[in-house]
Amino acid sequence: MSSSIALGGLVGWMLALTVKHVIADFMLQNAWLAMGKDQKTGWALPLLIHCAIHGVLTTAIIAAVQPKLWFLGLVDFAIHIMIDRAKGWTVAHYGVTQASRWFWWLIGIDQALHHLTGFFLAIYVVANS
């Protein structure tokens, strides 16, 4: 991996992955997915579907431009599942509701970690182009 990368490429990939994140997390995520993945039981299917959406979209975007890096969709899927499960487990086991400030802290941390994932994926794509 190179120690320097093209700023234009980094910005372009960050924009593409951020748009992908908004589409997957907000436009394609219904209430069953959003609330289901945070339950004490029955969380696995909504979580897997939600994270699969992220993985498929990431794979499609990256493979369209850099086919040899298609596997980054699997990386995004795996990281997304860990982040969302940690948040869901915390919400379910500590009874965190939207009325609690902790809920909003968890949402903020969750989103920040997802955007950092996108940032590191963008660096990897640009450095390996």
Side-chain angles (χ1 to χ4, degrees):
M1 191 191 278
S2 173
S3 61
S4 64
I5 59 171
L7 182 59
L10 179 62
V11 170
W13 278 106
M14 275 304 301
L15 286 171
L17 292 171
T18 298
V19 168
K20 182 275 313 181
H21 184 81
V22 168
I23 291 168
D25 248 22
F26 300 100
M27 299 171 137
L28 298 178
Q29 182 170 214
N30 60 28
W32 179 76
L33 293 173
M35 293 186 296
K37 61 190 171 126
D38 290 349
Q39 300 303 309
K40 276 191 177 182
T41 61
W43 54 266
L45 185 59
L47 179 65
L48 287 171
I49 292 170
H50 172 67
C51 294
I53 291 168
H54 276 278
V56 167
L57 291 178
T58 299
T59 300
I61 292 167
I62 292 175
V65 181
Q66 289 292 330
K68 69 180 182 180
L69 301 177
W70 67 269
F71 63 90
L72 292 177
L74 297 174
V75 173
D76 191 27
F77 170 82
I79 293 171
H80 207 98
I81 213 165
M82 288 186 283
I83 293 167
D84 280 14
R85 185 62 197 134
K87 179 185 68 75
W89 185 91
T90 303
V91 166
H93 284 79
Y94 291 101
V96 178
T97 67
Q98 289 183 9
S100 167
R101 72 180 184 138
W102 297 111
F103 178 83
W104 300 104
W105 277 63
L106 288 171
I107 292 290
I109 292 167
D110 170 88
Q111 291 299 301
L113 291 172
H114 291 316
H115 289 290
L116 283 172
T117 301
F119 179 64
F120 288 113
L121 289 174
I123 289 172
Y124 190 87
V125 170
V126 174
N128 289 282
S129 294

